Amino acid sequence: MMALLLFGLFFLLIAVGVPIAFSLSISSLVYLIVAGVPFTVIPQTMFAGLDSFVMLAIPAFILAGNLMNAGGITNRIIDFANAVVGHIRGGLGLTNVASSLGFAGISGTALSDTASIGSVMIPAMKKQGYGAGFSAAVTSISSTVGPMLPPSLPMIIIGTLAGISIGDLFLAGAIPGVLLAFGFLIATYAISVKRQYPKGEKQSFSVIGKTFFGAFWALLMVVIILWGILGGYFTPTEAAVVCVVYAFVVGKFVYKELKLKEIPSILLSTLRSTASILLLVGFANTFGWVLVSEGVPLQIANGILSLTDNPIMVILLIILLLLIVGMFMETIAALVILFPVLLPVAESIGMDPIHFGVVMVLALMIGLSTPPLGVCLFVASTFAKIPITRTVKELLPFFGVAMLVLIIVAFVPSLSLFLPSLFE
């Protein structure tokens, strides 16, 4: 009964437009009042959720991404992608997807990918004759590639929750992320050919080389992260700090576009993003404590396993649950609440925790572009200056691709576990 009160109030608050973090906190507070639990549980559980050295990597990676963006990296990645694929039919659409693949190593979040690339690519695509809905759809869905590749904030959260190697999680998401990107490239090309969208001029090798050199320093950040963590030279948190220094040096002295007067605003933006994420994690941890105290995780696990003990059906049921949750809940909150709940179910049917982490992140990423609360969907539609219904219509074939990749990744564990196995 108390669990119904908790969930009922939580979804009611979301429905009336209360932010996820405050929906979690208010519903948890009401539960504590009704159940007669001391309020000291709130600071204790929030602190327990944030008291991790690895969590320090989050503000550092956000700061590194902000420094690289201010240093002109976004345009350089777009220029390189355009030089490589811009001459193909639907070249700007392909450039959009390819830029998301390159930008993934900078931002670590899908939303920042959508905002950074969308602000440049959507107006450019509309100007060249691409449909506004199509431009927004490509930008929104391709941003789901970002959190699959390092530095991925969702992967950091999972590693913190379950004590899994973050380096292994970074590697595990690489092949599924690239597979997802190629799927979107194929869909974008097929639609562009059908609609006869424009293509650009083929660039010479010298131009491609020049644009590659411009994007090289940004792409090298991913190499530094993986080399440092997997080589045992530094922890994920130390890797994030190294990336901050690297981003500052590249932006200031290599690209020479980062101005010292911009640093205060960059730090302020980083503080805001970090505060919102950590506040969300803290409140989600309190909400998760309430769920555990009510025995909800065990009930969900028993509920799924009571329907079927067939591993294939269990995986499909978990995926269905995650897709539904992804439509309504912010990714990090969903991870903090549901990963500890669903991991035992996944392990009971023989899924590796690293493999399950990749599947969960991918499923929740799809939700960022789905109505009613997909944040990437809203941001892309805003840049395109169209209602989200037009974007959703154009997203349908991309949803098909994303679902196909999700099913393949879920049922072919080697796609996620191959790279981590090389570094055991």
Side-chain angles (χ1 to χ4, degrees):
M1 186 66 181
M2 294 295 289
L4 291 176
L5 170 66
L6 181 73
F7 281 111
L9 180 58
F10 173 64
F11 286 112
L12 175 63
L13 290 169
I14 291 178
V16 298
V18 177
I20 292 290
F22 295 108
S23 298
L24 290 168
S25 62
I26 294 171
S27 54
S28 299
L29 179 62
V30 171
Y31 169 87
L32 296 180
I33 293 173
V34 175
V37 179
F39 290 168
T40 52
V41 165
I42 296 176
Q44 289 172 352
T45 53
M46 289 184 69
F47 180 77
L50 300 174
D51 185 23
S52 171
F53 180 66
V54 176
M55 294 293 283
L56 291 174
I58 293 177
F61 276 129
I62 292 173
L63 177 57
N66 288 340
L67 288 170
M68 293 294 275
N69 286 336
I73 182 57
T74 303
N75 288 333
R76 284 176 170 83
I77 290 178
I78 291 174
D79 289 343
F80 173 56
N82 193 42
V84 175
V85 299
H87 64 283
I88 305 173
R89 178 71 63 185
L92 273 188
L94 299 175
T95 298
N96 197 329
V97 178
S99 298
S100 293
L101 184 60
F103 195 77
I106 308 305
S107 66
T109 64
L111 183 58
S112 51
D113 186 335
T114 304
S116 299
I117 292 179
S119 62
V120 177
M121 291 301 302
I122 291 178
M125 290 178 68
K126 289 175 63 179
K127 186 177 180 180
Q128 286 204 12
Y130 292 80
F134 178 78
S135 303
V138 172
T139 304
S140 175
I141 197 68
S142 65
S143 67
T144 59
V145 174
M148 299 301 297
L149 305 174
S152 165
L153 298 190
M155 296 298 187
I156 294 174
I157 295 294
I158 287 177
T160 305
L161 289 172
I164 303 172
S165 166
I166 292 176
D168 286 346
L169 285 168
F170 281 172
L171 285 174
I175 293 178
V178 172
L179 184 63
L180 188 65
F182 273 100
F184 292 151
L185 286 171
I186 294 172
T188 301
Y189 175 73
I191 295 172
S192 298
V193 170
K194 181 179 180 180
R195 299 179 182 177
Q196 288 297 294
Y197 283 142
K199 59 181 180 180
E201 296 181 1
K202 189 170 184 178
Q203 302 296 329
S204 65
F205 284 110
S206 62
V207 172
I208 294 175
K210 182 179 179 180
T211 56
F212 170 75
F213 183 77
F216 170 78
W217 298 103
L219 302 177
L220 185 61
M221 183 184 285
V222 180
V223 178
I224 293 174
I225 294 169
L226 292 177
W227 171 77
I229 295 175
L230 297 175
Y233 297 102
F234 36 68
T235 65
T237 302
E238 292 165 343
V241 176
V242 169
C243 285
V244 170
V245 177
Y246 175 85
F248 176 79
V249 172
V250 170
K252 177 64 179 175
F253 301 106
V254 178
Y255 293 154
K256 299 180 180 180
E257 292 189 21
L258 179 63
K259 309 299 181 184
L260 292 180
K261 64 181 181 181
E262 296 177 320
I263 298 299
S265 62
I266 291 173
L267 291 174
L268 182 60
S269 174
T270 301
L271 288 172
R272 287 172 176 164
S273 298
T274 301
S276 64
I277 290 174
L278 295 185
L279 187 67
L280 182 59
V281 171
F283 285 144
N285 205 63
T286 300
F287 191 86
W289 180 89
V290 173
L291 293 181
V292 172
S293 67
E294 283 293 308
V296 173
L298 184 60
Q299 294 174 31
I300 292 177
N302 291 337
I304 292 176
L305 294 176
S306 67
L307 293 175
T308 177
D309 58 0
N310 184 303
I312 294 177
M313 294 305 300
V314 170
I315 292 174
L316 290 176
L317 287 172
I318 291 176
I319 288 175
L320 178 61
L321 174 63
L322 293 174
L323 290 172
I324 294 173
V325 169
M327 294 180 184
F328 296 94
M329 190 178 295
E330 200 276 342
T331 304
I332 292 178
L335 287 172
V336 174
I337 294 171
L338 289 179
F339 188 79
V341 172
L342 296 176
L343 180 59
V345 180
E347 290 182 319
S348 71
I349 59 171
M351 284 189 79
D352 185 278
I354 294 176
H355 175 217
F356 177 66
V358 172
V359 172
M360 187 166 186
V361 171
L362 179 53
L364 292 174
M365 285 303 103
I366 296 173
L368 294 177
S369 292
T370 56
L373 298 177
V375 289
C376 293
L377 170 64
F378 278 94
V379 170
S381 299
T382 299
F383 281 127
K385 299 179 180 179
I386 57 173
I388 63 169
T389 51
R390 285 181 58 187
T391 306
V392 170
K393 182 179 178 181
E394 295 285 354
L395 275 168
L396 293 179
F398 295 101
F399 284 147
V401 171
M403 289 300 302
L404 177 61
V405 172
L406 175 59
I407 295 298
I408 292 174
V409 170
F411 290 103
V412 185
S414 59
L415 291 174
S416 302
L417 301 178
F418 173 70
L419 290 180
S421 69
L422 296 179
F423 291 88
E424 291 181 350

